[in-house]
Each structure stands twice: as C-alpha cells, then as structure tokens.
Amino acid sequence: MTGLLSIRNVTAGYGYGPDIVHDFSLSLNESEVKCIIGPNGAGKSTLLKAVAGILKPRSGDIFFEGENISGKEAYQIMRLGICFLPQERAIFPNLTVEENLRMCAYSIKDKALATARIEAAIGMFPVLGQRLKQIAGTMSGGQQQQLVYARAFTIKPKIILIDEPSLGLAPSLVEQTFNHIKQIAASGIAVMLVEQNAIKGLQTSGYGVVMDLGKLVFEKPANEVLQDQSLRDLYLGKALKK
Amino acid sequence: MMEILQVFILGLCLGFVYALMVSGLTLIFGVMRIVNLAHPILIISGAFVSYWLFIKFGMDPILSVPAAALTVALLGVLLYKLIFEKNAAQQTYSEMTVLLTFGTAMVIDGLLAFLFHNTQRITSPGYATDAIFIGEIFIPLAQLYSGIVSLTIIVVLAVFLKYSEFGIAIRATSQNRTSAELVGVNVKFVCLVSFAIGCALAGSAGALVSFVFSFFPSRHWEWIAILMSLVVLGGMGSLTGAVIGALVLSVVSSFVGAFYSPAWSTMVFFLALFLILIIRPRGLFGIKAD
Amino acid sequence: MQNSKKIIPVLILIGLICLPIVQFFGNYNYVIHMVLFCFLYITMSSSWNIIGGYGGFISIGHNVFFGIGAYFSGFIYARYGISPFYTAVFAGLIATVFGFGVGFITLRVKGPSFIISSIALLMILRTLFDRWELVGGAHGITLPHNNLSVEWSKIPHYYALLVLMVLSIVLSWYVRHSKFGLALRSISHDEIKSEVTGINIKIIKVTAYAISAYMIGAAGAIWGDYLTYVRPNIFFIILIAANMVLMCILGGKGTVTGPIIGTIVIIFFNEFILANFGASELNIFFTGLLMILTLLYFPDGIIGSLKKRKLLPGFLDWD
C-alpha cells in the first residue's frame, strides 16, 4: 500500500490512558476523499490527531509521500503538507481577520506567494475581505467558519484532515460547510474527514471507512455504504417502518 | 496647580518604568501561562549588571541597557532550559510552575545576597542629581530619562508584537497554542524566545531602575507584590492592561506619597489589587476569568 | 499492621510529653528549642495543608495569621498583663475571623490571581504594622520574660505548642476524612464539576481557609511570648510562608503525615546548613534550591512518593 498517505498498523492513545486506536491501517491517495464514520468513542478523532502529530503514535508508522512522519512535531507535519482542522475549530480570537490570514500563511516562505494565496482566499470568501480589520472573535459563527476554511485555501496542503466538520453548526451552515469541503476536494487536495453526520459525510466523499472500537471494520466506495441496507441499519440508523 | 502637575509628571515617568518592569512578566504569562515570581529578582540582576559596569568602567546605566538585557536574557534561557521547559509544554497554568518560579527567585536572591550582601546600592551617573525646569515644574533627570527610555522600549515592543511576523506568531501562540502549531508555528521555539524577550525586558528595566531606586537583593519581594498586582489588575496576560494599570497606579501612588504620606505610596498597588478582586476579578482588560 | 499504626504515634507522643524531664539532668535547651521549633512548624504546615494541600489554593503569604495572632496576644499582654497562654485561644479566633473576611474576597479567583493576592496581603500587613504606632511600628512590641529559671523557661511554650501541634494534626486528619474534606478535595480538582453536584463551593473554600488560620494564629501568640518580642520583620516575612509551603510539599501535600515529615526534614536540613555555612543568605538559597528540586523530581513529596511505590510504613499512612 503506497500512495500519498499511508497509515500502517498505528496504535494510539492519550497520556497514560489505554489504547484508543488499535493496529489501524488506511491509505489516502491524491484527490481522494475519504469519510470515516462509526460510533462514539471509536477513535476517529484520535486517528486524525495521530496523523496530524498532535498525538504521537504508540506503535506503527505513518508514511507521507514516502517519508515516515510518525513522531514528528505537529508543526513539522503541517509544513510537509498535511493540514488539520480540529474539532475546536479555533481561529485566533483576538487577532484581526487579516492577521489570522497572515498566520494561515505563516508557513509560506515566499512572501509574494503568501500574499497571492491570501488574496485568493479572500476571493473565495468575500465576507472576510470586508472585515479584514475586524477582531476575528467578534464575527458570527458562520463567518468564523469561513475563516477556518480559508486556511485550507491559503495553505493549499496536499492533504486536509477535518474532524467533524458539521459539529455544533446550524443546519444552514452545515450545507455551506460541505460545499467548502467539495470545493477543497475539487481543487485537488486529498481529504480525510471524520463525521458524525454519516449521510452528509458519505455524500461528500468518494470512500466510506467504518471504524469501531479503534479498529478498521471495512472500507468501501461511499455510495455503496450509503446504499447497503444492512450497513445503513447498523451504522446510519434504521428508518422507521410504517 | 503646578505642584499637582509636577507630581503627575513624576508619577507618569515612574509609571513607564513600572510598565517596562511588568511588560516582560505579562508577555511570559501570556505565551506560557507562567506566573514568573522570579521576574523582579531578574530585574535586580539587571540592576547589578549596570551597577558593576558603572563602578568598574564608568559606563552610563542607560548605555548599559543592552548589556543588562542580554545578560539577563541569557540567564533566563538557562533557567528556562533547566527548570521550566518541561512545565511550559502545557499551556495550562499550574501551581507547580509558580512555586518553581518562587524557588528560583529565592535561589537567585540568596546567591546575590551572598555575593553582594544586602547593602543598598544605586548607580549615580552625573545626571542623577540634576533636574530640569519646565516653567515652575521641577523634574529630576533620573526620573525623566528612565521614563523616556522605558517608554521607548515599550513602544518598540508594541510595534514588534503588532506588526512583525514573529510578533504576530507570539500573539497567536498566546491565544491558541494548538492552532498556532497547526499553521506551522514552532511553538516550543516561540516559547523559548518569548521567555528570553521577557527576561531581556527585565534586564533593561533593571538597568534603568539602578539609578532611580536604591536596590538590594531582598527588594524583589516588594516588587513581586507590586508587579503581580499590576498583572492581575490589567487582566492576566493583557499587555495593554498592565501598562495602563502601571501608569494609572503609579500616578495615584505619587499623589498619595506627595500629599498624604510617602510610606503609603506602595500600599496603593496592593489595595488596588484587592479592590479589583472585589469589583472585577478578571481585571480591567481581562480576556478570560482565570 | 493496624496496631503498629496506633501504637507508634502514641509512643512518640508519650516520649514528647516526657522529654522535658531531661532538664533535670542538665541544660538541654538546644534540644528543647529544636523540638518546639518543630512543633511550631508542624502546626503551621499542617494547617496550611488544609487550604493548600486539600484545597489546592497555594497561599504564599499564609503567615499573615501568624503575625496577627502574635500581635493580638502580644498587645494584650503588654497593655493589660494577660498572658498569651490565656489569650492564644482568642488570637486564633481573631485570625479565623480575618481569614473569613480575606478569603471571601480572594477565593473568588483561582490559580495565579489567588497566589498573587496572598503575597500582596502579606505585604499590606507588613507595611501596615511597620507604620502602626499603637503597636510600636517597626520596633514592635516587647514582652516581659517569664519568671522561670533558664532550664524551665521554655517548658510552658513547649507544652503549649505540643498541644497546638496535636490539635492541628487532629484537625488535619478530621478534614481529610470528613465529608467537608471530600468536598474540598473535589473542589481542588474541578470547581465546576463540584458545583454541579450541589456543593456550595464558596462556603467550603472560605471555611477551609478560615480554619487553616486558627492554629497558626494561636501559635503566633505563643511564639511571640517565646521570643518576647513581636515585630513585623520577624512575623511578616516571606521566608516563613515559603517554609510552610515547602515543608508541606516536600512531605507530601494533601496527606496528613506529609507536613509532619516535611517539617522535620526541612528543620534539620536548615540546621545543617546553618552549622556548615552560617550565613542567612545561603539559607534562602538552599531553601529555594530544595523547593525547585522537590517540585521537579519529587512532586508528590516523601509520603506521596512512598505511597505510590507502596513503600509507606503503616504508621505514617493516615489518609
């Protein structure tokens, strides 16, 4: 199994606690969009954190473009091309929108390129362009959300990891969010997302990965997961029968 | 009227010095949530650097600011690596770290007292006894110069934090460490540099303080109480709040000292602290309740 | 195991009660002094432990109560001739009342702000008493010596402090094993979660703080009489507070026997330093160094570390 990202037999957990992710393997290729679904506590977020470098894997390896990145610091992994949007989708609340965008472009050495990327991001999110001098924390939830996703377009990573994009969002924003994700995927960035809203998540993705108790249950093309009745019942909830 | 203006100006000059003293403290707390009780003894260390440069080489204390800043910054880096680095890994405040800084303060205090004894010292450059007259207002040069230099350094710091790439990174790290890491900031490095900058600020404050206050190693306990009161007053971690608090309280303190009793002027700071705790525990500019 | 748990402390207590008998055989004032110095600090660090160890509120200015108690009884003795041995009970009470008042204000804030306020409090009182003419300002109050001979002059203080020490330990044990103590310790872990279980966290925090003041105030009254003078630069110095904190941490904060062991270790350590290095500046240096090393490598303290490794002898495990 090669490809852009190759997670091999990774086991991970928090602090001195038990293993949450057990011997997990998965790969992600260019332009692929994979959605990880599964019950609570399955270890989905933990997996993303291990890839992003927030957690260090306890065993196993993670290969990115052929290089073993497990054990590297989060900022190093980020600079290699993996961008992580965690659940606490935090922006920098006391910086202005413009400063936030400059921070997004922090890792871009070439000043001209950084400026160009920021301009492009503002182009995609004109709302931000109108509020450049505003303190980011004073914006509405939806606007802050846009700032978060602007990060992806500023950085243009090779892979973006998104932890529960729809979490805590009003339904109207959920739609907007998944549109952003589709745009990101369309621009050629590989996406791995973890999503509770399994239906929306699968509809946005090419593959569905089911995870339970820290282990991989199976991986199938997303529309197969959506259409398979027994899988639907098991993981997506039974529809009420009349 | 003139007398009031004079006390006000003197209070303001002193206020800038206090503001410089507290700025490093606030920076370190903001980035790493470390309440550095050793900050004042580092200021005194800087004062000693200036003192010895003055005694041995006749160097003007204002000119010795860079030397004092550098020395204390290096000392700070050493302390950070030896003692605080492990604890600074978490961005959360911990009592243990405060007690570590407390122990560090005692270690440096004991060392300085052992080496130099607790005699009162002060550097006395030529201008220390001079004053200028603006109309009828009499302003001692020592206070004036120290106030101006302090103000300059604070402005430089503010500009650095506001506009430079690294300055924004420092501010970002103090607001959300994880997010900073996820946009590629080497957070460990930022913490180390912030600590060094904070100590450099302490050192430069020490150089200026050396000809304004008489100092001795044990004086740092008094300054701990004053500076910490300012930090709480301004709202933990807010540089603006700390500076404004320093200016306001210094002016008030000067008035109390001039028109009521000099002995009570430092009480102003402590009482203000308690007042703030009663009225508005999160401080004047506090971002979060801590 | 159970029996040794009870017997050894009782034996030690009996030994301490009988110790002054040695004065019949010669002048062992130095020994008596060291032992009662231990009594003093065990009293203070055990009391500090109530708010600092169980409660998690680190107060680095806790000797304000020490000074208040000393001044209260000292003033009454100097003015009205009533010995501190009678007024100590009330000195403690005064300290407690003060503790309630202060605690109500300062316990609103957590962590760093609280610690800072404790230092500021100490400085306020120090400055206040330095200037207060009624109690002698910086010169303080001078108290009359007692009429006993040299061999026996320390003995009343010895027994008074022994009583206070035992009471402090009992109080600490009681808090540790009571519902109150349970609430307090849960507050120290997480205030919000504690609050939603229905605990009135404000009352509990402030009460713990005030309780911790009592013994310290009473001890201050006795100590003032022992020294025969009460001055700000004796009672309101930060070194005392630092020692209180260090003794508790070195011994193991949040445990009953921790402060006891920590106090004994530190006092003997100090004596060692004094004997070999003399100067008092180095005292501060070594106290600070010890604090750093303890916190970095020994954060659970002696008792805590032994407990973790299951090496704690039964008679020391009173939790």
Side-chain angles (χ1 to χ4, degrees):
Chain A
M1 263 199 300
T2 44
L4 194 57
L5 178 73
S6 179
I7 305 169
R8 298 186 197 172
N9 306 105
V10 163
T11 301
Y14 297 90
Y16 297 109
D19 292 338
I20 310 270
V21 175
H22 296 280
D23 202 31
F24 193 94
S25 297
L26 184 66
S27 72
L28 186 70
N29 294 314
E30 290 181 25
S31 302
E32 276 183 345
V33 182
K34 293 196 179 178
C35 179
I36 305 179
I37 61 175
N40 268 325
K44 313 187 290 292
S45 295
T46 311
L47 178 70
L48 288 193
K49 288 177 186 166
V51 175
I54 306 281
L55 289 178
K56 311 279 179 278
R58 290 175 180 171
S59 68
D61 298 300
I62 302 177
F63 282 88
F64 176 67
E65 293 189 320
E67 186 185 344
N68 191 343
I69 62 170
S70 72
K72 280 194 194 286
E73 296 292 335
Y75 80 94
Q76 291 168 318
I77 293 180
M78 180 269 161
R79 285 172 183 247
L80 287 173
I82 300 180
C83 176
F84 178 42
L85 301 182
Q87 265 183 42
E88 319 75 38
R89 235 162 309 279
I91 50 171
F92 301 108
N94 287 309
L95 297 184
T96 64
V97 170
E98 185 175 5
E99 286 171 333
N100 263 273
L101 290 170
R102 275 174 73 179
M103 280 312 297
C104 289
Y106 185 80
S107 57
I108 303 175
K109 295 294 172 203
D110 182 350
K111 289 288 156 228
L113 181 59
T115 315
R117 288 269 180 85
I118 295 178
E119 302 280 313
I122 295 177
M124 295 220 64
F125 301 98
V127 166
L128 298 179
Q130 292 158 5
R131 294 161 191 277
L132 287 178
K133 297 292 179 198
Q134 185 174 345
I135 302 286
T138 61
M139 293 199 298
S140 74
Q143 292 160 345
Q144 290 189 23
Q145 181 78 335
Q146 294 191 29
L147 184 54
V148 173
Y149 284 94
R151 190 191 299 181
F153 292 99
T154 315
I155 296 177
K156 278 206 183 314
K158 307 219 176 67
I159 296 180
I160 189 164
L161 310 169
I162 314 180
D163 195 351
E164 308 229 13
S166 73
L167 189 68
L169 291 184
S172 53
L173 287 180
V174 171
E175 198 60 50
Q176 179 187 298
T177 302
F178 282 102
N179 283 335
H180 289 325
I181 297 179
K182 286 186 187 134
Q183 282 172 315
I184 291 172
S187 71
I189 303 174
V191 179
M192 183 143 65
L193 61 126
V194 156
E195 187 44 71
Q196 286 281 22
N197 186 339
I199 296 180
K200 267 251 161 296
L202 289 170
Q203 284 171 344
T204 321
S205 311
Y207 289 89
V209 178
V210 177
M211 194 171 171
D212 193 11
L213 294 177
K215 299 198 173 76
L216 174 70
V217 180
F218 64 77
E219 179 185 349
K220 279 196 176 154
N223 53 351
E224 281 181 39
V225 180
L226 276 170
Q227 284 160 12
D228 186 324
Q229 191 58 44
S230 60
L231 289 177
R232 280 198 74 136
D233 289 347
L234 206 49
Y235 286 102
L236 306 182
K238 273 191 188 345
L240 286 172
K241 298 227 194 309
K242 280 256 164 51
Chain B
M1 182 59 209
M2 280 297 125
E3 212 190 334
I4 292 182
L5 203 55
Q6 175 165 314
V7 172
F8 178 78
I9 294 180
L10 280 178
L12 208 60
C13 286
L14 208 58
F16 285 120
V17 176
Y18 277 127
L20 181 63
M21 285 163 85
V22 84
S23 62
L25 194 55
T26 309
L27 181 68
I28 290 176
F29 181 77
V31 176
M32 286 163 278
R33 304 290 185 270
I34 294 179
V35 178
N36 189 8
L37 295 181
H39 197 80
I41 196 70
L42 289 174
I43 294 176
I44 293 186
S45 304
F48 269 110
V49 170
S50 291
Y51 180 79
W52 291 119
L53 285 175
F54 179 76
I55 298 283
K56 298 278 184 198
F57 305 111
M59 186 188 276
D60 185 306
I62 295 181
L63 293 178
S64 70
V65 165
L70 189 63
T71 311
V72 179
L74 289 175
L75 178 62
V77 169
L78 184 69
L79 291 173
Y80 184 77
K81 284 280 177 195
L82 280 178
I83 304 173
F84 303 112
E85 190 165 41
K86 250 194 343 174
N87 284 290
Q90 267 64 32
Q91 195 183 23
T92 50
Y93 155 84
S94 92
E95 272 87 18
M96 287 303 123
T97 317
V98 181
L99 290 175
L100 274 176
T101 66
F102 188 60
T104 309
M106 290 172 72
V107 165
I108 302 179
D109 177 358
L111 208 57
L112 287 176
F114 178 67
L115 292 173
F116 304 127
H117 306 295
N118 261 312
T119 46
Q120 298 208 7
R121 296 172 199 275
I122 190 164
T123 51
S124 321
Y127 47 80
T129 45
D130 287 339
I132 61 169
F133 283 89
I134 305 180
E136 281 170 34
I137 302 177
F138 163 92
I139 305 177
L141 285 184
Q143 265 83 324
L144 184 66
Y145 289 167
S146 61
I148 293 178
V149 177
S150 297
L151 175 60
T152 312
I153 299 177
I154 293 173
V155 168
V156 168
L157 177 69
V159 166
F160 168 73
L161 287 176
K162 179 79 182 155
Y163 296 110
S164 81
E165 200 71 28
F166 198 74
I168 302 183
I170 290 180
R171 283 192 292 136
T173 307
S174 50
Q175 285 170 33
N176 191 318
R177 190 178 196 147
T178 312
S179 290
E181 189 142 25
L182 293 176
V183 291
V185 174
N186 183 345
V187 165
K188 285 189 181 154
F189 183 68
V190 167
C191 285
L192 179 64
V193 172
S194 301
F195 198 83
I197 294 178
C199 292
L201 289 167
S204 48
L208 295 173
V209 151
S210 73
F211 60 91
V212 175
F213 299 123
S214 67
F215 62 93
F216 47 95
S218 308
R219 191 124 194 220
H220 73 112
W221 296 119
E222 184 190 328
W223 285 345
I224 282 184
I226 294 178
L227 294 184
M228 297 299 160
S229 301
L230 287 173
V231 173
V232 175
L233 192 72
M236 309 289 298
S238 161
L239 193 59
T240 323
V243 169
I244 292 183
L247 294 175
V248 169
L249 281 190
S250 183
V251 168
V252 173
S253 163
S254 289
F255 275 106
V256 167
F259 296 113
Y260 183 61
S261 154
W264 290 86
S265 55
T266 46
M267 282 283 262
V268 168
F269 294 93
F270 314 139
L271 292 176
L273 168 68
F274 273 85
L275 208 64
I276 279 287
L277 287 182
I278 298 175
I279 303 174
R280 192 179 153 109
R282 65 183 172 94
L284 294 173
F285 289 80
I287 315 161
K288 57 203 160 283
D290 205 33
Chain C
M1 195 62 163
Q2 265 295 84
N3 281 331
S4 84
K5 204 163 161 168
K6 295 203 176 105
I7 288 183
I8 295 183
V10 171
L11 284 178
I12 295 179
L13 187 59
I14 295 178
L16 290 173
I17 294 176
C18 298
L19 184 62
I21 293 178
V22 298
Q23 293 291 71
F24 282 118
F25 300 105
N27 190 330
Y28 290 96
N29 266 347
Y30 176 72
V31 172
I32 299 288
H33 170 79
M34 285 311 309
V35 177
L36 68 81
F37 196 59
C38 284
F39 292 167
L40 174 71
Y41 268 99
I42 291 178
T43 304
M44 297 215 283
S45 58
S46 281
S47 299
W48 185 90
N49 194 27
I50 294 177
I51 186 68
Y54 304 140
F57 282 92
I58 309 286
S59 165
I60 327 185
H62 222 62
N63 56 325
V64 286
F65 304 116
F66 190 51
I68 288 175
Y71 265 97
F72 176 76
S73 286
F75 180 72
I76 292 186
Y77 191 27
R79 260 284 157 107
Y80 304 109
I82 306 177
S83 162
F85 286 88
Y86 298 119
T87 56
V89 175
F90 300 103
L93 220 55
I94 297 284
T96 305
V97 169
F98 186 69
F100 258 111
V102 168
F104 201 75
I105 300 174
T106 60
L107 285 163
R108 297 173 167 214
V109 293
K110 295 194 298 165
S113 304
F114 176 77
I115 299 188
I116 291 169
S117 71
S118 73
I119 300 178
L121 183 65
L122 185 61
M123 294 303 303
I124 289 180
L125 284 183
R126 166 110 195 233
T127 313
L128 216 61
F129 278 90
D130 257 340
R131 324 231 174 262
W132 198 358
E133 289 313 315
L134 184 67
V135 291
H139 295 295
I141 307 175
T142 315
L143 301 174
H145 288 258
N146 60 28
N147 298 325
L148 302 169
S149 65
V150 170
E151 291 93 26
W152 300 105
S153 64
K154 296 188 194 293
I155 302 307
H157 307 95
Y158 180 93
Y159 284 111
L161 286 170
L162 175 60
V163 167
L164 284 178
M165 176 186 80
V166 171
L167 287 177
S168 305
I169 296 175
V170 167
L171 184 63
S172 176
W173 188 92
Y174 179 72
V175 170
R176 180 73 171 78
H177 292 272
S178 66
K179 233 167 89 165
F180 173 78
L182 186 61
L184 184 63
R185 280 181 294 128
S186 81
I187 290 173
S188 80
H189 283 129
D190 193 317
E191 276 200 29
I192 298 181
K193 289 193 187 121
S194 302
E195 200 164 7
V196 299
T197 64
I199 300 173
N200 185 337
I201 57 174
K202 188 89 197 210
I203 294 286
I204 295 200
K205 282 192 291 190
V206 177
T207 305
Y209 187 76
I211 291 178
S212 76
Y214 186 82
M215 296 296 172
I216 298 180
I222 303 293
W223 196 250
D225 188 79
Y226 182 68
L227 294 180
T228 68
Y229 44 81
V230 180
R231 284 206 302 254
N233 65 357
I234 302 271
F235 283 87
F236 287 116
I237 51 172
I238 203 142
L239 192 59
I240 298 181
N243 273 316
M244 261 197 263
V245 175
L246 183 58
M247 287 165 185
C248 219
I249 294 186
L250 181 66
K253 74 177 171 95
T255 66
V256 179
T257 47
I260 303 174
I261 301 297
T263 302
I264 298 176
V265 169
I266 301 254
I267 287 183
F268 280 100
F269 176 74
N270 270 341
E271 277 306 293
F272 174 75
I273 299 292
L274 224 61
N276 287 319
F277 297 99
S280 71
E281 295 102 3
L282 281 182
N283 199 322
I284 294 185
F285 173 80
F286 281 110
T287 306
L289 191 61
L290 193 58
M291 194 180 272
I292 294 177
L293 293 173
T294 305
L295 288 165
L296 283 181
Y297 302 114
F298 238 155
D300 296 312
I302 295 175
I303 299 290
S305 303
L306 287 177
K307 225 192 199 175
K308 263 199 179 159
R309 299 195 171 101
K310 312 247 192 270
L311 290 172
L312 190 63
F315 75 94
L316 284 176
D317 185 2
W318 293 359
D319 294 311

